[in-house]
Amino acid sequence: MQAHRALLETDEQGRLKEMPVLPPRTRVEAIFLVLEEPPSSPTAVRRPPAELAGLQILGDVIAPAIDEPDWSVNDA
């Protein structure tokens, strides 16, 4: 089984505007997920709080806060 993605659009009556091209002499199962309409108004631009202006990051922010040997994980 192979998956192929196709975005289909419908007209005002709910009919497909364009039929997808499918492989010849094959059986195809289709599950349709109706995409939600995008919001009509643009979303606000997200900005960091003003209190963080001029903040300097010192050190590694990606490294874990707790060293791996300190975790109480039992090895199976």
Side-chain angles (χ1 to χ4, degrees), residues 1-65:
M1 181 185 309
Q2 294 179 353
H4 295 275
R5 182 176 185 191
L7 282 175
L8 306 174
E9 290 188 51
T10 58
D11 61 11
E12 293 79 23
Q13 287 80 33
R15 292 186 222 115
L16 289 176
K17 289 184 177 180
E18 185 177 318
M19 291 294 293
V21 177
L22 302 171
R25 294 182 291 284
T26 57
R27 293 176 57 189
V28 177
E29 177 181 2
I31 299 172
F32 296 99
L33 302 174
V34 178
L35 302 177
E36 294 195 20
E37 293 294 322
S40 58
S41 62
T43 58
V45 177
R46 296 181 62 183
R47 299 185 190 280
E51 295 85 28
L52 296 179
L55 180 73
Q56 288 185 331
I57 298 175
L58 304 174
D60 188 0
V61 295
I62 303 298

